[in-house]
Amino acid sequence: MRKSIILLLCASFGLTAAAQTGNEWDWVAECQRLHSDGKHTTVLSLLNSMDIKSLDDRTRQEVELMRVISTYECNPAEGCTQIEKYLTDYPETSKRDLLNCYMAQSYYYGGKYELACRWFEKCNLKQLTPLQHDRALFYRALSLACIGKESDAENLFRNLSLTSDEYAVDAKFHMAVIKYEHNELEDALKRFKEIEGEEKYKLDVPYYLGAICLKRGEVEQAKTIAETFINEHTNEAQCNRMYQILGAAEFMTGNYEAATNSLTAYIDNINNPQHIAYYQLGVSLYNQGENSKAKEYLAKCNSDDDAIGQSALLYTGLINL
């Protein structure tokens, strides 16, 4: 994905570089080639060893842009610092909107979604190539979804799903996730089924198919989906989430020992487990007479101001009797 954008960037460098002669043209052209191949560390080494003072102003500005982009690809934090400096040094640059998008995307990766949205608002997407435009739209939609503006995000995803060659599948996946999170299960199921054969999401879609089955009370089908996935993709990271589906299915059928095994595998191998998994594990342990352990897991969710929290408090009370 990054390489495609870099290739588009380098197309703009070529005309100016061609105006140089002799050794100047040679090393600028070599930097372009390496840049297009994604060899950013080598590009930086070459640029750092060269004296760019002899270049004309326009070429020097574009070489510096190449340096900034390569730095970003190697070290986004340092790249952002250089982008800000570049925008200060070259306030009239025609690449301002593209660099603003890089900044916004970096903030998205860093979990600063509000800041990412503000930087995307600075971008005139009409100034970007079609691929750059779609990439900016995609990450803006992700950022909006992360700050709770899911309606706005969904509109952008829908646009991309209909018009973008590069991001259509990504947009369809995230639209399906939004539908799932809003309990629009029929629509979510239809959208996940549409992309379940796509290579990029073949390991992610089964989790949502299983989760939809659980929400619809199709427990045995959810169990089958989870077991099949775990057997076929044992070494994949997505197995950890599938253990939650399997554990929940076992819990819902009263098979507490099996539920304990699966839910423990889920909780021990994933960051920020869902609180319902703590609850189900705690109740499963309680039903096996392991009250001390049950109380430990119930304590992780009994302060929640929802049905799970209230039920966890009830079981904690029963243990304390």
Side-chain angles (χ1 to χ4, degrees), residues 44-102:
L44 292 174
S45 296
L46 184 57
L47 289 177
N48 290 336
S49 68
M50 296 297 175
D51 182 5
I52 66 172
K53 294 179 181 178
S54 60
L55 299 175
D56 63 68
D57 290 343
R58 183 182 174 189
T59 304
R60 185 166 59 253
Q61 179 177 337
E62 292 183 342
V63 167
E64 289 290 1
L65 178 61
M66 204 183 327
R67 186 200 307 276
V68 166
I69 298 299
S70 288
T71 300
Y72 179 91
E73 298 292 348
C74 293
N75 184 339
E78 175 61 23
C80 283
T81 299
Q82 291 199 20
I83 286 173
E84 290 182 315
K85 183 178 185 303
Y86 184 90
L87 291 173
T88 299
D89 293 343
Y90 302 104
E92 303 302 321
T93 177
S94 62
K95 302 297 181 182
R96 172 174 289 276
D97 294 296
L98 176 61
L99 294 176
N100 283 343
C101 287
Y102 268 96

Side-chain angles (χ1 to χ4, degrees), residues 7-160:
L7 286 168
L8 293 169
L9 277 170
C10 287
S12 70
F13 297 151
L15 292 176
T16 305
Q20 303 301 316
T21 59
N23 291 335
E24 294 173 355
W25 187 91
D26 289 342
W27 70 260
V28 172
E30 179 66 6
C31 282
Q32 292 172 1
R33 185 187 67 78
L34 293 167
H35 206 268
S36 67
D37 288 341
K39 298 178 179 178
H40 304 292
T41 302
T42 307
V43 170
L44 292 174
S45 296
L46 184 57
L47 289 177
N48 290 336
S49 68
M50 296 297 175
D51 182 5
I52 66 172
K53 294 179 181 178
S54 60
L55 299 175
D56 63 68
D57 290 343
R58 183 182 174 189
T59 304
R60 185 166 59 253
Q61 179 177 337
E62 292 183 342
V63 167
E64 289 290 1
L65 178 61
M66 204 183 327
R67 186 200 307 276
V68 166
I69 298 299
S70 288
T71 300
Y72 179 91
E73 298 292 348
C74 293
N75 184 339
E78 175 61 23
C80 283
T81 299
Q82 291 199 20
I83 286 173
E84 290 182 315
K85 183 178 185 303
Y86 184 90
L87 291 173
T88 299
D89 293 343
Y90 302 104
E92 303 302 321
T93 177
S94 62
K95 302 297 181 182
R96 172 174 289 276
D97 294 296
L98 176 61
L99 294 176
N100 283 343
C101 287
Y102 268 96
M103 292 291 292
Q105 181 185 318
S106 178
Y107 287 125
Y108 167 79
Y109 284 142
K112 300 177 180 179
Y113 306 120
E114 292 274 4
L115 199 53
C117 288
R118 289 202 293 271
W119 273 88
F120 277 123
E121 289 172 1
K122 298 180 181 181
C123 305
N124 180 0
L125 301 188
K126 294 180 180 179
Q127 298 299 316
L128 306 180
T129 67
L131 182 56
Q132 293 165 357
H133 171 277
D134 290 353
R135 186 182 188 181
L137 214 60
F138 177 66
Y139 281 101
R140 184 179 186 186
L142 289 177
S143 300
L144 287 167
C146 289
I147 62 173
K149 296 185 177 181
E150 293 180 332
S151 178
D152 293 336
E154 189 176 352
N155 287 335
L156 295 181
F157 285 137
R158 183 178 296 107
N159 183 8
L160 287 168

Side-chain angles (χ1 to χ4, degrees), residues 30-307:
E30 179 66 6
C31 282
Q32 292 172 1
R33 185 187 67 78
L34 293 167
H35 206 268
S36 67
D37 288 341
K39 298 178 179 178
H40 304 292
T41 302
T42 307
V43 170
L44 292 174
S45 296
L46 184 57
L47 289 177
N48 290 336
S49 68
M50 296 297 175
D51 182 5
I52 66 172
K53 294 179 181 178
S54 60
L55 299 175
D56 63 68
D57 290 343
R58 183 182 174 189
T59 304
R60 185 166 59 253
Q61 179 177 337
E62 292 183 342
V63 167
E64 289 290 1
L65 178 61
M66 204 183 327
R67 186 200 307 276
V68 166
I69 298 299
S70 288
T71 300
Y72 179 91
E73 298 292 348
C74 293
N75 184 339
E78 175 61 23
C80 283
T81 299
Q82 291 199 20
I83 286 173
E84 290 182 315
K85 183 178 185 303
Y86 184 90
L87 291 173
T88 299
D89 293 343
Y90 302 104
E92 303 302 321
T93 177
S94 62
K95 302 297 181 182
R96 172 174 289 276
D97 294 296
L98 176 61
L99 294 176
N100 283 343
C101 287
Y102 268 96
M103 292 291 292
Q105 181 185 318
S106 178
Y107 287 125
Y108 167 79
Y109 284 142
K112 300 177 180 179
Y113 306 120
E114 292 274 4
L115 199 53
C117 288
R118 289 202 293 271
W119 273 88
F120 277 123
E121 289 172 1
K122 298 180 181 181
C123 305
N124 180 0
L125 301 188
K126 294 180 180 179
Q127 298 299 316
L128 306 180
T129 67
L131 182 56
Q132 293 165 357
H133 171 277
D134 290 353
R135 186 182 188 181
L137 214 60
F138 177 66
Y139 281 101
R140 184 179 186 186
L142 289 177
S143 300
L144 287 167
C146 289
I147 62 173
K149 296 185 177 181
E150 293 180 332
S151 178
D152 293 336
E154 189 176 352
N155 287 335
L156 295 181
F157 285 137
R158 183 178 296 107
N159 183 8
L160 287 168
S161 73
L162 296 173
T163 63
S164 176
D165 293 332
E166 183 74 17
Y167 291 96
V169 173
D170 301 283
K172 289 176 181 178
F173 174 78
H174 288 284
M175 284 179 67
V177 171
I178 289 174
K179 295 297 184 183
Y180 167 78
E181 291 177 345
H182 284 247
N183 280 319
E184 299 177 35
L185 300 183
E186 290 298 325
D187 197 354
L189 181 61
K190 177 182 176 181
R191 293 175 186 276
F192 282 124
K193 284 288 188 181
E194 183 181 348
I195 62 170
E196 67 176 331
E198 295 288 344
E199 184 68 22
K200 186 172 183 179
Y201 291 106
K202 71 178 184 179
L203 297 179
D204 296 299
V205 169
Y207 169 81
Y208 289 99
L209 296 180
I212 289 170
C213 287
L214 286 179
K215 287 191 174 188
R216 290 173 22 157
E218 299 165 355
V219 179
E220 287 301 321
Q221 188 173 345
K223 183 179 176 181
T224 299
I225 290 173
E227 288 178 332
T228 300
F229 186 92
I230 291 169
N231 289 334
E232 293 180 354
H233 305 284
T234 305
N235 296 321
E236 300 292 348
Q238 287 86 345
C239 269
N240 296 329
R241 299 181 75 193
M242 294 305 287
Y243 276 115
Q244 181 196 9
I245 301 297
L246 182 57
E250 298 287 10
F251 174 83
M252 294 169 73
T253 55
N255 191 350
Y256 298 118
E257 183 177 354
T260 297
N261 293 334
S262 295
L263 291 168
T264 300
Y266 164 70
I267 289 171
D268 288 350
N269 291 287
I270 198 165
N271 294 325
N272 300 317
Q274 293 187 18
H275 279 196
I276 192 171
Y278 287 127
Y279 169 77
Q280 290 173 340
L281 179 54
V283 175
S284 295
L285 290 165
Y286 169 81
N287 280 289
Q288 295 173 82
E290 299 186 43
N291 289 350
S292 179
K293 286 185 178 180
K295 190 174 180 180
E296 176 185 341
Y297 286 105
L298 291 169
K300 295 180 182 292
C301 58
N302 64 14
S303 61
D304 296 348
D305 187 19
D306 56 17

